[in-house]
Amino acid sequence: MTQTTLRTYEIRPNKNITFPIGTVTTVQKYSQKLNFEEIFGKHKKKGREITQLVNALVSYRLSENQSISKASTWINRPEVLNEFETKSFQEKTLFRALGIVGENKEEIMSDIQDAVFGHYSFEHTNINMDWTSFILYGDQCKLGKYGYSRDHRPDKKQITVGLAELSSPINVPIGLTVQPGNMNDQLHFKSTFNQIKRRLQQGSLITYDRGGNSAKNNELVLAHHMKYLTGKKLNKSDDKRIKNFDKKHAELLDKEDGVYGLKYTFPSRIDYFFFSEKLKKEQIEAGTRRAEKKFEEAKLLQACLDSNKKLPAKFRIKNALVEMTYSYQTKLKELGEKQAFEYIKKHSVTGREGFFCIISSENLTLEEALRTYRKKDSIEKLINSLKNEICIKPLRVWSENSIYGAVIIGFLAQLIISLIKYEHKELKNTSVKFIKISLMNLTVTVEFLPKMAKRRIYSNFDPINEVILRKIQGIT
């Protein structure tokens, strides 16, 4: 009988191991470049070498990235330990390392900034700042507070995180602050700005969204001989501008999106007032969807009232310690469904749709102000990367110092990826996800041969990891 198809090779267990050498080697390269040995080593003189544990944790964050318990298992393999030049350890050793990093967070972040600015000659020191939240699982960390959740989990406690990055075309993060979960952006602004201000040149432009905008914060920037550009919440004075707005008297800035602008100069600031036809359409559509949702809620409530049924759970407070008597009345019977929908639709549209305002201490053209403010979206992408690519969240219940430490490890992972994109212009527009996957895919398999011999087999080179690792001996 003739064999016409290939049979599957028989799979036999062996002791060979494979791990992402691309990630490990890259982290070690930047650890040396930024002198992690000096930054972290001084905080632990005895026992386990903390720098190698930090390198291992950052490498794990950029690869499998699950729990600290699994990080311990991942690192505690002889061949991986050899890469980090350390010995096997217990799981609690990693938690102690995170605690040490968190305990010394201010000095460590300051040293990281010194290392970055000491190694690189950046073309400017203009920065973007923004703030976000990370949910916590558990109730024991004192930093965890209920607050406005950007992760749409108001049922969970959270921490707030402030970030600062050098603006385009650099886009490298240089600042990280952590505050309780109920801290609003205006109050958080001060600690974020104070952390990075001494690294900035006089005249640097600080860009932040309207959440961080306040008279005190703007004055703080000016007091340090810098300039600000920020969004402004529309108020009654802007309603007068909207009422009198005429596209014929405004400057057309973007024909495709229908963006027009007017400039108002005051002694202490300049207002850049804009109208966008595209934005107006999007906001009206969003208002209509909100109106439809509220209309359906009102119909459901009215149906319950008419049939004397118990209200759905989403309309009730669920707390055994709270006694509440509910009294609802809708306008549906009074107005009728058609009129009621038009009524709620009218109240969901404010008349401000399509209008927005940017203010600055700097005298820019309308086009410059709009372009600079739009480029602020790079820090929003940075936040998204930290959450969904570097995957700092979710944070489990640890001590406060361990929380700080875990966030700093995530920040270092993001810093390394951002520096890669800054150094290699051909990767500037490559997503964090693809860079991370490319480094992770470049693996080394340690094959155990007879008589205690070993062989290392490198696999999965691609254009991205070749660009990153081309100068590292033994890899190219």
Side-chain angles (χ1 to χ4, degrees):
M1 186 174 183
T2 304
Q3 180 180 338
T4 58
T5 58
L6 293 175
R7 283 188 250 178
T8 304
Y9 288 107
E10 184 179 354
I11 299 175
R12 296 179 181 178
N14 57 56
K15 295 182 180 180
N16 300 344
I17 69 167
T18 299
F19 57 92
I21 192 65
T23 303
V24 171
T25 305
T26 301
V27 169
Q28 290 177 326
K29 171 188 174 182
Y30 282 93
S31 174
Q32 294 170 2
K33 185 178 289 190
L34 300 178
N35 203 359
F36 283 8
E37 179 66 42
E38 183 176 330
I39 292 173
F40 294 97
K42 62 184 175 182
H43 299 295
K44 192 173 187 295
K45 299 293 186 182
K46 299 179 181 180
R48 180 72 55 181
E49 169 60 58
I50 192 173
T51 306
Q52 295 304 336
L53 292 178
V54 168
N55 289 344
L57 282 168
V58 173
S59 299
Y60 185 72
R61 179 67 72 185
L62 287 171
S63 53
E64 295 189 14
N65 191 20
Q66 298 182 50
S67 66
I68 293 298
S69 301
K70 293 190 176 180
S72 175
T73 303
W74 185 85
I75 300 166
N76 263 314
R77 294 177 290 173
E79 298 304 322
V80 179
L81 290 169
N82 287 342
E83 289 294 328
F84 293 109
E85 299 178 353
T86 190
K87 297 179 181 179
S88 62
F89 55 85
Q90 295 180 342
E91 179 185 317
K92 62 183 180 182
T93 302
L94 287 183
F95 285 100
R96 283 201 297 266
L98 287 177
I100 291 170
V101 172
E103 185 179 357
N104 299 281
K105 57 186 179 298
E106 289 91 355
E107 186 175 354
I108 286 173
M109 283 303 303
S110 178
D111 288 344
I112 289 170
Q113 291 169 348
D114 287 344
V116 170
F117 281 95
H119 191 85
Y120 296 90
S121 298
F122 295 119
E123 49 264 54
H124 66 72
T125 57
N126 298 331
I127 64 166
N128 301 319
M129 297 200 307
D130 205 352
W131 299 267
T132 189
S133 60
F134 290 88
I135 59 174
L136 296 177
Y137 283 86
D139 300 317
Q140 299 186 18
C141 179
K142 294 180 180 179
L143 279 173
K145 303 290 182 183
Y146 292 108
Y148 173 66
S149 175
R150 277 81 162 187
D151 294 321
H152 309 291
R153 290 299 305 269
D155 57 316
K156 294 290 185 183
K157 290 185 178 181
Q158 63 181 24
I159 59 170
T160 57
V161 174
L163 290 159
E165 68 155 7
L166 292 165
S167 58
S168 181
I170 303 171
N171 302 121
V172 169
I174 60 168
L176 172 77
T177 53
V178 179
Q179 295 290 340
N182 57 358
M183 174 83 64
N184 67 43
D185 294 353
Q186 287 184 354
L187 294 177
H188 200 155
F189 179 99
K190 186 175 181 180
S191 62
T192 307
F193 178 75
N194 284 339
Q195 187 190 70
I196 49 90
K197 65 186 180 186
R198 75 179 181 88
R199 275 83 183 178
L200 309 182
Q201 301 168 0
Q202 289 191 8
S204 294
L205 181 64
I206 318 300
T207 304
Y208 43 97
D209 65 17
R210 62 184 187 178
N213 177 20
S214 72
K216 285 186 177 180
N217 292 340
N218 300 340
E219 289 167 5
L220 178 64
V221 173
L222 296 174
H224 288 84
H225 309 288
M226 298 177 199
K227 299 171 286 190
Y228 66 83
L229 179 74
T230 182
K232 172 180 175 290
K233 295 179 180 179
L234 298 180
N235 54 33
K236 290 184 178 180
S237 65
D238 295 302
D239 289 334
K240 294 180 181 178
R241 293 175 179 174
I242 292 171
K243 184 178 180 180
N244 298 320
F245 182 81
D246 186 346
K247 290 189 287 187
K248 295 179 181 178
H249 300 137
E251 182 180 343
L252 177 60
L253 301 167
D254 187 335
K255 188 175 181 179
E256 183 178 348
D257 292 344
V259 179
Y260 298 80
L262 291 168
K263 189 172 174 180
Y264 298 89
T265 303
F266 299 91
S268 61
R269 74 172 198 274
I270 297 172
D271 284 14
Y272 303 89
F273 191 72
F274 299 96
F275 169 72
S276 167
E277 292 174 345
K278 180 182 178 182
L279 180 63
K280 179 179 180 179
K281 180 182 177 182
E282 291 172 349
Q283 290 179 335
I284 288 176
E285 288 174 351
T288 302
R289 288 193 297 272
R290 287 194 299 271
E292 289 171 348
K293 183 179 178 180
K294 291 178 180 178
F295 180 66
E296 292 301 322
E297 287 179 347
K299 284 175 64 177
L300 178 59
L301 278 171
Q302 187 63 56
C304 291
L305 293 172
D306 290 342
S307 59
N308 200 27
K309 288 183 178 179
K310 190 176 182 181
L311 295 177
K314 66 178 181 178
F315 297 115
R316 292 181 277 119
I317 295 175
K318 293 186 287 185
N319 189 325
L321 298 175
V322 177
E323 291 185 5
M324 171 80 62
T325 300
Y326 294 90
S327 177
Y328 286 98
Q329 183 178 354
T330 75
K331 294 179 179 288
L332 289 174
K333 287 190 172 181
E334 175 187 341
L335 298 175
E337 286 197 5
K338 186 175 180 180
Q339 283 184 295
F341 179 71
E342 292 301 321
Y343 178 86
I344 193 66
K345 185 177 177 181
K346 180 180 178 181
H347 282 75
S348 297
V349 177
T350 65
R352 294 177 176 177
E353 286 75 20
F355 291 93
F356 60 99
C357 186
I358 299 169
I359 65 172
S360 180
S361 58
E362 178 74 345
N363 189 1
L364 305 168
T365 66
L366 283 161
E367 185 178 359
E368 288 171 336
L370 182 60
R371 182 176 65 250
T372 303
Y373 192 73
R374 280 177 169 176
K375 285 184 177 180
K376 181 188 65 64
D377 71 347
S378 62
I379 197 165
E380 295 168 6
K381 292 176 182 176
L382 176 70
I383 289 172
N384 179 69
S385 174
L386 282 169
K387 289 187 174 185
N388 301 311
E389 307 300 344
I390 304 300
C391 298
I392 288 181
K393 67 173 190 178
L395 294 168
R396 303 295 174 184
V397 182
W398 301 326
S399 67
E400 285 187 46
N401 285 332
S402 292
I403 291 289
Y404 288 125
V407 175
I408 289 175
I409 292 296
F411 175 85
L412 291 175
Q414 180 63 58
L415 173 62
I416 288 171
I417 297 292
S418 296
L419 288 173
I420 287 171
K421 296 179 71 171
Y422 174 72
E423 290 181 14
H424 303 284
K425 303 306 180 185
E426 59 267 60
L427 300 179
K428 178 67 177 177
N429 296 318
T430 305
S431 73
V432 172
K433 177 181 179 180
F434 290 149
I435 293 175
K436 179 181 172 182
I437 289 173
S438 176
L439 290 174
M440 188 169 57
N441 283 347
L442 178 54
T443 60
V444 60
T445 299
V446 181
E447 183 182 9
F448 291 82
L449 302 172
K451 298 182 180 180
M452 303 297 291
K454 297 177 185 178
R455 182 171 64 161
R456 295 165 70 91
I457 304 171
Y458 296 94
S459 306
N460 305 322
F461 284 91
D462 63 37
I464 294 177
N465 57 47
E466 285 183 17
V467 165
I468 298 168
L469 300 169
R470 66 163 65 108
K471 295 182 180 178
I472 299 179
Q473 293 182 356
I475 299 300
T476 57

